[in-house]
Amino acid sequence: MALTDAAQRVQVSAYPDAYAKHEPIATQIVNLLTGGAARAAGDSTEARCATGGEVAASGWTVPVRALIVSGFRTAERPDHDGVDLGAGRETPIRAAAAGQVITSRCDVDPSGRLCNRDGSPSTPGCGWYVKVRHAGNFVTMYCHMIRRPKVTVGQMVAAGQELGDVGTSGHSSGPHLHFEVYDSSRGDKIDPVDFMRNVGAPLGGKP
Ligand SMILES: [Zn+2]
């Protein structure tokens, strides 16, 4: 379906062709914001999930391709507000979608000293971590990086852009990525496994 027809279905205009003139700029904006999602509008016949290193038509991609080693708010860990992905030390962590970096720091130690070494179950906090705000009121968080993140607050990042590398800084018993998704419209963290599956970039091991 042409975008201008889709627009007319969503909001009926007395001038149905009026939407067409906005299409090129709209496509450009969506592509810039999402790292390529607008291409889905012209290529809706091929719908499949993104694998590691690919961006789904939704604009989302997996931050690391690794097994899920601990889930979101499980019976054993009801306070675990994210999912743990068992990637090895130094694995690049990628932005799950385009957005703006809103946090990039060492949790509990502004100097970074406490995050420049391996943490432990008795070390507090998220270690070196990054938060990115995305379109649609979503925020993603990436914890326990091995060293200072590669991005700074205010920076715009593309889907799949490297944010830092897997480590075990902060409250962590071994190298992994702790990944959280916050839905501002709901005012709560949500299950990243469900969310990423729904956007066509499912978490977990190799498909
Ligand atoms: Zn975790």
Side-chain angles (χ1 to χ4, degrees), residues 12-30:
V12 177
S13 165
Y15 303 94
D17 296 335
Y19 291 117
K21 65 174 182 286
H22 302 297
E23 183 172 336
I25 186 70
T27 302
Q28 204 178 348
I29 290 168
V30 172

Side-chain angles (χ1 to χ4, degrees), residues 70-71 77 80-84 144 171 176-180:
S70 186
R77 301 178 74 193
H80 190 232
D81 288 337
V83 62
D84 291 343
H144 312 308
H171 185 72
H176 73 285
L177 171 65
H178 173 96
F179 176 61
E180 293 187 3

